[in-house]
Amino acid sequence: MNNRKLTKEEIHALPKIDLHIHLDGSLRPATILELAASQGVELPADSEDELARVLNLGQRCDSLEEYLKVFDVTLSILQDEESLRRVSLELVEDAAAESVRYMEVRFSPVLHTRQGLTMEGVIDAVLNGLREGERKTGLKSGVIICGIRNMDPDISYQLAQLCVSYKNEGVVGFDLAGAEYNHPPKDHLKAFYLVANNNLNVTLHAGEAAGAGSIHQAVHYNKTNRIGHGTRLFEDGDLMNYINDHRIPLEICLSSNVQTNAVSSIQAHPLPLYYRKGLRVTLNTDNRLVSMTTVTDELWLAQETFNLNEFDIKSIIMNGFKSMFQPYAVRKGYLQRMREELELDRYYNPDFGMKRDF
């Protein structure tokens, strides 16, 4: 089998997907400065370079909680419909510029209501921006509404109700985000029962700032369809096998995991273990701004760190399209097109299926 590696330019040109990306963590630095100036919001810096330094963008933090402090700045300027529409449109433009074909954008509407905007108004503004972006670029997207694990579970329930009400109107799933440690997902079961009973998709941040027990709860209590991060899944081998057997995808975000100290270094990341065992691993940005990354960067980082080859990278991309929160017929159409564009048929052996050399 060909062990050829891809150049970064080749990865940039490949059709790609991003299933784990936070809207309020993926703004353009220039947009932050412009919106703050127009809204009279005081920032800790007045230039892009200084903003990156003060907010520690792309740099290692002491903890997930420190990493999340950046959102105090971004949320301060995302409290009106026009700002939300604009950053949603710009996110589509930025992703499309690196050949992303589909992405699922997540955010929590409750965090954008400080100045009187309703949660419905927040969702409508984001959907308007994403749809405008699709008309301009062709990149399709869906919205994942996030409950916040360190807030009152009743708020998560309200957000779950919103999720249900926007089903088939652009919202494709429900998530639980925020500070993970000491905030177990089973505290929010009422919200997840509502979502599940309405046949909506579920993803859940777990195994990032807490251990495999958090992932166990997400799977067996909250009935998640995907795992956000899952970095510490290796701590429970039996659970890892269960997740593999049931093809529950992992939304892995390499740069973010290093930045939040979920792993001690990129070399220590369990991605190669998960990939070798056949888990459905996907690679995502998490926050394009906070981690100063792109999907291209994440795939390139994986290839260079873990000695992946062309087939490995394309297989991980395909895992993403297999895991999207879209109806089977839609997903099947994407997979057929991606198999052709990624030229995966040349790796196919009719007797043994897809070959792997990793």
Side-chain angles (χ1 to χ4, degrees):
M1 181 179 185
N2 184 3
N3 284 312
R4 187 178 84 89
K5 291 183 179 294
L6 295 164
T7 66
K8 197 167 188 179
E9 290 72 23
E10 287 174 320
I11 294 176
H12 185 276
L14 290 176
K16 292 181 287 294
I17 186 168
D18 197 347
L19 296 177
H20 190 125
I21 180 167
H22 293 266
L23 177 66
D24 44 349
S26 300
L27 286 70
R28 296 173 182 171
T31 297
I32 295 176
L33 295 171
E34 290 176 22
L35 290 178
S38 66
Q39 296 174 17
V41 173
E42 186 175 346
L43 295 177
D46 55 10
S47 71
E48 291 186 37
D49 289 342
E50 183 68 6
L51 197 64
R53 187 189 66 80
V54 171
L55 297 181
N56 211 31
L57 300 181
Q59 303 301 310
R60 195 178 193 91
C61 301
D62 290 334
S63 66
L64 175 61
E65 285 74 19
E66 181 183 337
Y67 178 88
L68 295 175
K69 287 181 179 178
V70 178
F71 294 88
D72 292 338
V73 171
T74 60
L75 288 171
S76 70
I77 57 169
L78 293 177
Q79 299 297 325
D80 65 89
E81 292 179 352
E82 175 54 26
S83 298
L84 287 162
R85 184 206 62 81
R86 173 179 171 176
V87 300
S88 301
L89 166 61
E90 290 179 348
L91 176 54
V92 174
E93 292 174 337
D94 292 344
E98 59 157 336
S99 304
V100 173
R101 300 293 182 81
Y102 176 82
M103 65 179 176
E104 291 176 359
V105 181
R106 62 186 74 193
F107 60 96
S108 184
V110 71
L111 300 178
H112 303 273
T113 58
R114 299 174 187 170
Q115 296 177 12
L117 194 59
T118 66
M119 290 198 284
E120 291 84 356
V122 173
I123 298 172
D124 289 339
V126 172
L127 288 173
N128 287 338
L130 295 177
R131 288 164 180 158
E132 184 178 348
E134 180 181 341
R135 290 192 294 271
K136 290 181 67 173
T137 69
L139 188 158
K140 295 185 181 297
S141 58
V143 160
I144 295 174
I145 292 178
C146 296
I148 303 296
R149 63 201 315 148
N150 48 304
M151 288 187 177
D152 191 310
D154 285 342
I155 296 177
S156 290
Y157 186 71
Q158 293 174 36
L159 291 163
Q161 289 176 310
L162 272 175
C163 194
V164 171
S165 71
Y166 276 85
K167 181 182 178 181
N168 300 322
E169 295 184 30
V171 171
V172 298
F174 186 67
D175 179 26
L176 190 64
E180 182 182 5
Y181 182 73
N182 216 25
H183 297 286
K186 65 181 181 181
D187 288 350
H188 300 259
L189 286 184
K190 185 179 178 183
F192 284 89
Y193 284 160
L194 177 66
V195 170
N197 286 334
N198 283 274
N199 303 308
L200 269 156
N201 297 298
V202 170
T203 181
L204 207 155
H205 283 69
E208 180 187 18
S214 178
I215 303 172
H216 185 279
Q217 284 188 33
V219 172
H220 294 296
Y221 286 83
N222 301 74
K223 306 300 181 184
T224 190
N225 304 108
R226 295 196 316 235
I227 297 290
H229 298 289
T231 316
R232 293 173 62 179
L233 176 60
F234 67 90
E235 295 176 358
D236 187 336
D238 196 49
L239 178 64
M240 179 164 61
N241 289 332
Y242 179 91
I243 286 175
N244 196 12
D245 292 344
H246 291 267
R247 314 309 295 147
I248 299 174
L250 302 181
E251 304 162 357
I252 290 177
C253 310
L254 293 173
S255 296
S256 170
N257 288 165
V258 174
Q259 200 176 348
T260 63
N261 274 318
V263 292
S264 59
S265 67
I266 184 61
Q267 291 77 15
H269 200 285
L271 169 65
L273 168 66
Y274 299 156
Y275 180 71
R276 282 196 300 269
K277 285 187 68 67
L279 274 78
R280 187 165 287 173
V281 296
T282 70
L283 280 173
N284 312 275
T285 57
D286 200 5
N287 299 284
R288 294 174 73 101
L289 168 74
V290 189
S291 292
M292 297 294 282
T293 193
T294 64
V295 183
T296 300
D297 291 336
E298 296 301 296
L299 290 165
W300 171 256
L301 180 61
Q303 176 184 265
E304 296 305 292
T305 304
F306 306 118
N307 195 32
L308 305 184
N309 59 34
E310 178 181 5
F311 173 70
D312 298 323
I313 293 301
K314 290 180 176 181
S315 294
I316 290 172
I317 291 172
M318 284 293 285
N319 280 346
F321 285 101
K322 291 175 183 176
S323 307
M324 58 200 299
F325 284 163
Q326 288 292 331
Y328 170 73
V330 174
R331 206 162 59 243
K332 182 179 178 181
Y334 271 99
L335 290 173
Q336 290 173 336
R337 292 193 298 274
M338 293 307 106
R339 181 179 292 280
E340 293 174 3
E341 291 190 44
L342 294 171
E343 300 180 318
L344 282 171
D345 285 341
R346 62 194 174 103
Y347 296 106
Y348 186 72
N349 182 313
D351 296 319
F352 301 104
M354 299 297 282
K355 291 184 178 179
R356 166 177 299 173
D357 185 14
F358 174 67

